[in-house]
Amino acid sequence: MQRSLILLMAALVWSSPIRAQVTGDLRLHEFRSEVFGNTRTLRVLVPAEYDRPGNANRRYPVLYLNDGQNLFDSSTAMFNPMEWRVDETVDSLVRAGVIPPMIVVGIDNAGRRGRAHEYLPYPDEYLSPPEPDPQGKRYPEFLTSEVIPFINTRYRTLTGPEHTALGGSSYGALIATYSVITRPGVFGLLLVESPSFYVDSNRVLTEAAQARSWPSRVFLGVGTNEGGQPACDSRDPRTPGIVQEVHRLQNIIAAAQPSTRVEVVVIPCAVHNEKAWAARLPAALTFLYRR
């Protein structure tokens, strides 16, 4: 009897949204993954008018973002007290009529160690302590067979690649890129910030060169001081490796699918953190969603 009650309570928590206090209407779901055998939070930001009676039949595009803990609230961020300011930025751009109302799904990572385990499709020799058996190759399945169906059955979403976007930063950008390569036709928009393309000798770029289907719009953002050096000269003519990797992906996409629109934003002396990604987010969303 006690076990049945516990299971019932767990099911209610899993299926019922919990409201969070941020700009707009953010709903939290405890989400069980059978692919990875763990539980995490899905943070779902819905449009301000989502529950109005007159919008009962209205459906919305969806933007899925990795590292959900770092998107909406600095108090939940994992690595430092910074956030992407997704809720404030979406609210501002929607109010200005720059982008349409949308649903944003922040997919929490699996914790400091679990993050690398799930986001790396290949081992990162520079990671300390090492992750010898990463499972990132299962992440696209996690997205397409678990997360997206969960959201589509609980929210009024517009389906199809033209309404479905994916994005992330650092390892989260790596696995987002890997996911669009291995699941072509699912995501029609891609947002990549400060990507960790270096992993396994740029293996994701080698695999990208074999892909023939890409999202219709791709935003690539990067800074010239991703390593966070204390001194940075914006006039330095040397191009950092990560900037070269971003342009390499741009050229790969252009060669494979010229119809794809690619926006590359390189910010002199910008570093590798949420503050930098938040600063570029208005430009990213404007490029991806402007009618």
Side-chain angles (χ1 to χ4, degrees), residues 62-102:
V62 186
L63 167 61
Y64 294 91
L65 291 173
N66 296 322
D67 288 315
Q69 298 100 315
N70 304 337
L71 302 177
F72 306 105
D73 187 347
S74 60
S75 69
T76 64
M78 286 194 60
F79 300 107
N80 53 58
M82 299 180 186
E83 55 165 300
W84 278 49
R85 294 179 54 83
V86 170
D87 46 329
E88 294 92 343
T89 300
V90 169
D91 179 71
S92 175
L93 294 177
V94 169
R95 287 178 182 274
V98 176
I99 64 174
M102 67 179 66

Side-chain angles (χ1 to χ4, degrees), residues 226-237:
E226 295 281 339
Q229 298 301 316
C232 176
D233 185 353
S234 61
R235 298 166 298 178
D236 190 337

Side-chain angles (χ1 to χ4, degrees), residues 190-248:
L190 176 63
L191 196 169
V192 173
E193 281 287 359
S194 302
S196 300
F197 288 160
Y198 69 87
V199 172
D200 198 12
S201 302
N202 301 128
R203 183 170 170 183
V204 72
L205 295 179
T206 301
E207 296 190 10
Q210 308 304 315
R212 291 294 173 265
S213 178
W214 287 93
S216 62
R217 294 189 185 188
V218 177
F219 179 90
L220 304 172
V222 67
T224 64
N225 190 25
E226 295 281 339
Q229 298 301 316
C232 176
D233 185 353
S234 61
R235 298 166 298 178
D236 190 337
R238 294 172 296 179
T239 304
I242 188 171
V243 176
Q244 296 178 26
E245 292 160 0
V246 163
H247 283 299
R248 180 178 167 189

Side-chain angles (χ1 to χ4, degrees), residues 241-265:
I242 188 171
V243 176
Q244 296 178 26
E245 292 160 0
V246 163
H247 283 299
R248 180 178 167 189
L249 179 61
Q250 177 188 22
N251 294 334
I252 287 171
I253 296 172
Q257 188 168 300
S259 62
T260 290
R261 292 182 58 193
V262 182
E263 179 86 353
V264 176
V265 173

